[in-house]
């Protein structure tokens, strides 16, 4: 291996700080926005932490929870049993898991919640003979493509549609759901084929894209040997994994906005009993409630796993400490978004672009809008935030030009979803890669061609949709 291959890449923190500095400098060349001063730059990471405090606490507790589960030995035994059962058929994990994550993405916007899966799936993929690029791709591309083709995702197409409807403009949900489903399937099939092709090469030892430093970090974190002498998968460990699975099932159920689907009365009638635990019924939980859910789960799993009080506490503190670097990445990443809001730079870009798009034909309006949303989604990585800010402008403009507002909703969803597969301003992207021990530059090098291909295909699909509908 060459010396060049052994060199480390610039860290995620440095990349994010450089982005903050560049954005601050841009404000000096843009008329009508507040100029970012030194104080704005210095305080951006702190303000980002305040803005993302709920996610940060959730990730810290999740790190402690996973450490307690690992301490029981149940994960090691379970992974050994799974790999043994799939011997020779490990590749099946990839399409199955990617499809599951895509389902979560398209239905309820599964995103931040995926952080909890990176360590587990990284360990599983390495044990199956792959590397953590495969693990990161399985989660990030799976859930991300689901969000890209959101069908009933309330945090993307839901908020976007509501922002337009509230202005008295109809949004045809059959077009939104149909186009979203089509985008999800097309993108997911392409992505699965791409990941499978790479996974086969890694499995056959024909080349991993990881540098030697990344490979060493991966093996140190996830390269445990699952030999025949490993702990037996006994009843106690099976019970731990059953509770472990239940924790994530409840997490998924708890964040689906059931009231938006079936009404508040239905939600309270079905899940009202569950508010005794956190003060909020399932369906109204968010990161605060989820953090405490996993905190309680740490205690329960520790007891079931036979750990004493000191072992549970020590394991939890160790896990939370081990994942603090991920929390810092999330905070600094959010700082870039906060700076954009404080200076008004994102509003200026939206206003200027919407003025430029007036009076253009559909075959120009669709791809131009797609490019606009690629830029806006980079600057505003929050899908719901981007929809809330932009749709009151883009929705009426689309209708006024005689185009279908439902298509602009999907243009926003597709562009936002594509950007969130790689943007460094997303705490999920940077945090997930950090857990998987994959450098950001490595991810860009590996996934860049796929992302570019998906972007072109989506632009063509959405332009055709704009002309047809």
């Amino acid at each position: 291996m060459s010396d060049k291959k052994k060199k480390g890449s610039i860290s995620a923190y440095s990349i994010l700080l450089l982005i903050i500095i560049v954005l601050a400098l841009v404000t000096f060349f843009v008329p009508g926005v507040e100029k970012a001063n030194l104080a704005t730059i210095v305080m951006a990471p702190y303000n980002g932490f305040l803005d993302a405090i709920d996610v940060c606490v959730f990730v810290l507790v999740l790190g402690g929870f996973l450490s307690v589960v690992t301490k029981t030995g149940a994960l090691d035994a379970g992974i050994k049993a799974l790999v043994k059962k799939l011997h020779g058929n490990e590749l099946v994990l990839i399409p199955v898991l990617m499809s599951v994550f895509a389902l979560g993405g398209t239905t309820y916007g599964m995103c931040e919640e995926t952080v909890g899966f990176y360590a587990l799936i990284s360990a599983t993929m390495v044990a199956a003979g792959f590397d953590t690029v495969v693990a990161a791709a399985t989660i990030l591309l799976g859930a991300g493509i689901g969000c890209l083709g959101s069908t009933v995702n309330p945090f993307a197409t839901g908020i976007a549609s509501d922002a337009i409807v509230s202005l008295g403009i109809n949004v045809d949900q059959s077009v939104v759901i149909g186009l979203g489903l089509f985008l999800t399937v097309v993108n997911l099939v392409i992505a699965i084929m791409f990941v499978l092709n790479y996974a086969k090469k890694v499995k056959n030892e024909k080349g991993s894209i990881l540098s030697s430093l990344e490979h060493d970090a991966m093996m140190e974190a996830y390269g445990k040997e699952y030999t025949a002498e490993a702990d037996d998968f006994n009843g106690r460990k099976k019970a731990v994994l059953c509770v472990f699975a239940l924790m994530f099932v409840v997490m998924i159920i708890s964040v689906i906005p059931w009231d938006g689907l079936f009404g508040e009365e239905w939600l309270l009638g079905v899940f009202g009993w569950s508010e005794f635990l956190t003060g909020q019924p399932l369906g109204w939980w968010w990161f605060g409630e989820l953090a405490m859910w996993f905190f309680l789960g740490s205690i329960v799993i520790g007891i079931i796993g036979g750990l004493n009080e000191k072992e549970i506490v020590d394991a939890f503190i160790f896990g939370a400490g081990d994942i603090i670097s991920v929390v810092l990445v999330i905070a600094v990443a959010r700082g870039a978004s906060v700076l954009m809001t404080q200076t008004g730079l994102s509003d200026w870009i939206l206003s200027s672009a919407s003025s430029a798009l007036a009076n253009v034909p559909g075959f120009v309006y669709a791809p131009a809008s797609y490019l606009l949303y690629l830029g806006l989604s980079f600057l505003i990585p929050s899908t719901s935030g981007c929809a809330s800010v932009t749709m009151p402008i883009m929705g009426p403009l689309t209708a006024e030009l005689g185009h279908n507002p439902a298509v602009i909703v999907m243009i926003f969803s597709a562009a936002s979803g594509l950007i969130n597969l790689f943007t460094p301003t997303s705490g999920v992207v940077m945090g997930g890669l950090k857990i998987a021990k994959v450098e950001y530059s490595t991810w860009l090098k590996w996934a860049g061609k796929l992302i570019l291909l998906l972007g072109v295909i989506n632009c063509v699909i959405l332009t055709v949709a704009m002309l047809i509908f």
Side-chain angles (χ1 to χ4, degrees), residues 336-349:
S337 178
V338 171
L339 184 144
M340 296 291 302
T341 302
Q342 288 179 333
T343 60
L345 186 56
S346 56
D347 290 338
W348 177 86
I349 293 173

Side-chain angles (χ1 to χ4, degrees), residues 118-119 122-123 126-127 132 217-224 226 435-437:
Y118 276 87
S122 291
V126 172
T132 47
M218 175 188 77
M219 296 308 294
E220 181 179 355
Y222 305 115
K224 183 174 293 186
Y226 295 95
I435 296 172
K437 312 302 179 185

Side-chain angles (χ1 to χ4, degrees), residues 351-361 364-365 368-369 394 397-398 400-401 403:
S351 176
S352 300
S354 60
S355 298
L357 288 174
N359 302 317
V360 298
V364 175
Y365 183 77
S369 297
M394 294 301 294
L397 176 62
T398 302
E400 183 179 336
L401 295 175
H403 306 310

